[in-house]
Amino acid sequence: MARAQALVLALTFQLCAPETETPAAGCTFEEASDPAVPCEYSQAQYDDFQWEQVRIHPGTRAPADLPHGSYLMVNASQHAPGQRAHVIFQSLSENDTHCVQFSYFLYSRDGHSPGTLGIYVRVNGGPLGSAVWNMTGSHGRQWHQAELAVSTFWPNEYQVLFEALISSDRRGYMGLDDILLLSYPCARAPHFSRLGDVEVNAGQNASFQCMAAGRAAEAERFLLQRQSGALVPAAGVRHISHRRFLATFPLAAVRRAEQDLYRCVSQAPRGVGVSNFAELIVKEPPTPIAPPQLLRAGPTYLIIQLNTNSIIGDGPIVRKEIEYRMARGPWAEVHAVSLQTYKLWHLDPDTEYEISVLLTRPGDGGTGRPGPPLVSRTKCAEPMRAPKGLAFAEIQARQLTLQWEPLGYNVTRCHTYTVSLCYHYTLGSSHNQTIRECVKIEPGVSRYTIKNLLPYRNVHVRLVLTNPEGRKEGKEVTFQTDEDVPGGIAAESLTFTPLEDMIFLKWEEPQEPNGLITQYEISYQSIESSDPAVNVPGPRRTISKLRNETYHVFSNLHPGTTYLFSVRARTGKGFGQAALTEITTNISAPSFDYADMPSPLGESENTITVLLRPAQGRGAPISVYQVIVEEERPRRLRREPGGQDCFPVPLTFDAALARGLVHYFGAELAASSLPEAMPFTVGDNNTYRGFWNPPLEPRKAYLIYFQATSHLKGETRLNCIRIARKAACKESKQPLEVSQRSEEMGLILGICAGGLAVLILLLGAIIIIIRKGKPVNMTKATVNYRQEKTHMMSAVDQSFTDQSTLQEDERLGLSFMDGHGYSPRGDQRSGGVTEASSLLGGSPRRPCGRKGSPYHTGQLHPAVRVADLLQHINQMKTAEGYGFKQEYESFFEGWDATKKKDKVKGGRQEPMPA
């Protein structure tokens, strides 16, 4: 301690003393050195060789290249290239400005560099670092002086180390002498002001400002030396005054690894300035160790807790922030936080966010890296609206392709959503059965095809958007599928009513019309018939009906014929499947061909011979023939209108007699027994297939009927026709013979007289009734008169009227019969019985007991056709005096007899037993 104080006093004195003042410390390497100037140095033990101290005086044997004196020397030729030798000067701990001065020798006879002489300044026993000054090359056979200005002060200490580094040339000498510690500033080296510590945050730029006093040579280099040895050149030197200048040393983006001690160095051949060591402090910005915690999540917000109790880096923490971003978004947002909990607003629904905490310490770049992120997702929000723009893309008969506007996140407000397409339609015309279905649509799809629909149906469709937080239903839109060919008409819906020559057919609309029915098409043809005259299969016929006509009457058909009907509907797309059914018409009653039938073949008192002609089967073959004999009674009542006119029930003669009936079956003939026309005698007393044909009674009048019957499949049809009439036998009056002219004139006069007689008789009857005091029904009398007169005039007029058909003759004849109380059968019974009569009774007749004329007395024959008038006249000529006169008289005789009977019974006809 005393030594240090003495050194300080010596240095202080030297600053005020001239240059010749004794230094405070140093080494001159002389034997007779001043004891007041201590010299302490040592050779390093870790180097390659040692400095050699030499004393060369005149007369001393030594190399000629070495100067005289005592000093430290290194002979480069004695050492290998790269070898080092260190000599360490004593430790110095100064309180004020001082200067270390030394002399060096570098010489090689041939001019090669013997090596490098370097100076190191070690502070506080720290690392050696890099050389603060060095000199190399050959500088002549002389000594050179340099200065070392070290700005390291107490309590710090430093040591100066001189190094000799052998060059590759290995020639020459290096020498070191007069190492002195001067207590005043250096004249050839600048002195640096105190260098302060620099603190920055990691990643920021640091800068050292080195202020120096003294003169700076132009060749002087300024360096920032790291304790570890790295050197950083100055970015710039700014002269503040003629003796002050400022050197700046920037360090860019420093990291924690660059934290160290740094000092400023100025290098020049004449000297070097070294500042004190200052620390570069690099602070690591704080970062939380744990991520924040989620307290609550909503559709548009997240509530978190910062969780900043544990951090990595340096404090203090002066600010807390929250940084959040979408997990897949390019943006980030930072919010300053003053509390431990924070609520993030205005977030997107169903979106994943990364949330980190930022901590900041003082200084630029004091914000640390974001802490571990909290990855959290907001909840879904209720959809904004239902899908819009529902429209059809393609419509077919059985499928419907729909499309709508694509859905964006702004509508769904959730990444997990479902679009459902719901539709319903009815199966039939009624709304009892409805098909309902909902289909889930794939995400991102805005088109769907509904299949397996029914044609021409209204399909009601709506879209439903659903997410975990709610649903939105769109408006229902109605679409109609296209038409298709209609379905088949149900066979069970075909109803029909068959008749003999027509069929009434009715059907129903198809259960699946598949559109608007425009028409119905009905085709039919005969496929089977019991009538050989019908060609089968027949031609196919087709008719069309309007959409509202579901029935039709088919006429002009063949009886007993099976027809195949097909009914199908049509829409705008074509015809549908046809419904088939077979319908058989009813059989008809057989028909007779008696239009040209001749007169009866013969007639006697008990028999009459007629000509039987085969009947024509209509839809069914003839099964059997019957001959019916009916007693003609003048007062027999007519059958009720619409009653059965033919004879459906077989009745034998005995059965008719027992029941009091007026008709019986005289014969039954097999159909095969009448292949062609043949005569048959009624009353021949024979039995035909169980039916007795008894003789006829002469005094009775008979009507002969011929009946044909057809049977087929449980159906029976029959027809009968009157083929003859046998009059009762009566005695005629004495015939009068007149000529043909007189007969014709007499007939005309007789008609006139007859009318007058009828009028007289009517008036006489009225007078008699009045005399007896009975009231007279004038209306009935007038009517009876008019009827009698009408019948009489009709009967007479028909004698002079030309008739064209046999049926017309019969009708005129019946008019006369009706006027006289008779009830003959119609022309054809049950379907039109045609009565064929012969001329005036047919064949020649024989009156009772004598050979009679063709006409018996008292019987007026029906009118004669004009075509048969000549034959009729010839017959009367050949008769036994029976001419027009007799015929006229017989007419009034019969009429008078009838009137008398009517008067007796009060003018009313008694009914004949059935």
Side-chain angles (χ1 to χ4, degrees), residues 9 40 124 154 196 347 376 427 545 628 881 912:
L9 290 174
E40 295 181 7
N124 295 331
W154 184 88
L347 304 180
S376 182
L427 288 181
K545 303 293 288 186
I628 297 93
M912 181 177 291

Side-chain angles (χ1 to χ4, degrees), residues 411-422:
V411 176
T412 62
R413 304 186 73 189
C414 187
H415 296 290
T416 303
Y417 65 90
T418 301
V419 176
S420 299
L421 187 144
C422 300

